[in-house]
Amino acid sequence: MDNFQIETAQNVSINQNIANLGDRVLAYIVDVLVMIAYMILTSVLLGFLSLGMREQWVYMLIVGLPPFLYPMLSETFWNGQTVGKALLRIRVVKLDGSRAGFSNFAIRWLLGLIELGMTSGSLALVVYLFNGKGQRLGDIAAKTTVISEKQRVFLHHTLNVEIEEDYQPQYPQVTIFNDNEIQTIKNLFQKAKRESNHAIIVSLSNKTSEMMQITPNEKPIKFIEKVIADYNYYTQQ
């Protein structure tokens, strides 16, 4: 379960790189350590104040409440990330790849209290393994998932791509570009796909077709892929 494809309102198909189980578990462990460290530090500092029984509520408010709310507040103000998620380069997003909002984070946090707390993570693990979109129950209810922002390097990240012998090019106009320009287009395109940046893909498609003085028949993502493949076809002949 490495990725799944979604289609946005702009008719752009995006492959989401799902965060693997190992990264999510490690991120969770890091966040637990962060919360424990906070509780120990604040407990020590408050210990010097020698709070009486009447002031115990202050102690609980300062020491207990922030760790309790930490996952939800951190993801809300840090665009889907906690300290652990940031270190592992994973992020909570909506299923369409857009930025999640407070209500999304609140729902997954509330159900997380059951999944991760009351069942020690076993329920979350079972749902994640059988879901297929990197979701636990909280994600399903909140319509979110957790994606990986780690850059994956494959052979097709270079300028040249493998062209089949019977490949049929569609846009001879691609020859107006040079190697550096095509490489720039490809880099922007791949970066936008990794980050699920639909606006960049659409803008790149519009600018490329404008320079080629054509009207594409494909959706933006397919058009850019065709431009890159066509360029390689003509330059490899």
Side-chain angles (χ1 to χ4, degrees), residues 153-212:
V153 179
F154 300 101
L155 290 176
H156 64 263
H157 285 175
T158 62
L159 175 59
N160 293 326
V161 295
E162 186 176 344
I163 301 296
E164 298 177 359
E165 292 184 3
D166 59 348
Y167 179 80
Q168 296 296 321
Q170 185 174 344
Y171 300 111
Q173 297 91 337
V174 295
T175 54
I176 67 169
F177 299 115
N178 57 40
D179 285 354
N180 289 334
E181 290 170 333
I182 287 294
Q183 186 65 66
T184 298
I185 291 173
K186 188 172 184 179
N187 290 342
L188 289 172
F189 175 61
Q190 291 177 338
K191 184 175 187 295
K193 284 205 300 181
R194 287 195 303 271
E195 298 177 353
S196 300
N197 195 327
H198 319 142
I200 291 296
I201 294 177
V202 173
S203 178
L204 183 62
S205 173
N206 291 339
K207 184 62 177 178
T208 301
S209 60
E210 178 184 338
M211 294 178 66
M212 294 169 60

Side-chain angles (χ1 to χ4, degrees), residues 17-37:
N17 293 325
I18 297 302
N20 62 54
L21 182 60
D23 284 348
R24 293 186 67 165
V25 171
L26 287 176
Y28 178 73
I29 292 174
V30 169
D31 288 329
V32 169
L33 293 176
V34 167
M35 289 185 281
I36 292 175

Side-chain angles (χ1 to χ4, degrees), residues 19-192:
N20 62 54
L21 182 60
D23 284 348
R24 293 186 67 165
V25 171
L26 287 176
Y28 178 73
I29 292 174
V30 169
D31 288 329
V32 169
L33 293 176
V34 167
M35 289 185 281
I36 292 175
Y38 170 85
M39 295 176 70
I40 293 175
L41 180 60
T42 53
S43 295
V44 171
L45 293 176
L46 291 175
F48 290 109
L49 300 178
S50 301
L51 296 177
M53 291 300 295
R54 295 181 180 178
E55 298 169 314
Q56 286 301 307
W57 68 272
V58 177
Y59 180 91
M60 295 301 298
L61 185 66
I62 296 176
V63 177
L65 188 59
F68 181 67
L69 298 176
Y70 161 76
M72 177 182 63
L73 295 180
S74 179
E75 291 174 353
T76 299
F77 294 107
W78 204 357
N79 189 19
Q81 288 186 313
T82 58
V83 173
K85 288 184 176 67
L87 289 177
L88 273 298
R89 297 177 63 184
I90 61 179
R91 185 185 304 276
V92 179
V93 297
K94 290 184 180 180
L95 278 177
D96 63 2
S98 62
R99 180 171 180 167
F102 175 75
S103 60
N104 303 108
F105 298 129
I107 292 172
R108 73 188 305 274
W109 169 74
L110 285 171
L111 288 178
L113 297 177
I114 300 174
E115 294 180 90
L116 306 177
M118 297 178 64
T119 67
S120 301
S122 58
L123 179 58
L125 175 61
V126 171
V127 175
Y128 173 92
L129 292 176
F130 286 95
N131 172 257
K133 294 183 179 180
Q135 296 173 294
R136 55 177 177 82
L137 281 181
D139 288 309
I140 295 174
K143 298 182 179 180
T144 59
T145 188
V146 181
I147 63 171
S148 174
E149 297 182 327
K150 295 176 182 177
Q151 181 174 351
R152 301 182 181 183
V153 179
F154 300 101
L155 290 176
H156 64 263
H157 285 175
T158 62
L159 175 59
N160 293 326
V161 295
E162 186 176 344
I163 301 296
E164 298 177 359
E165 292 184 3
D166 59 348
Y167 179 80
Q168 296 296 321
Q170 185 174 344
Y171 300 111
Q173 297 91 337
V174 295
T175 54
I176 67 169
F177 299 115
N178 57 40
D179 285 354
N180 289 334
E181 290 170 333
I182 287 294
Q183 186 65 66
T184 298
I185 291 173
K186 188 172 184 179
N187 290 342
L188 289 172
F189 175 61
Q190 291 177 338
K191 184 175 187 295

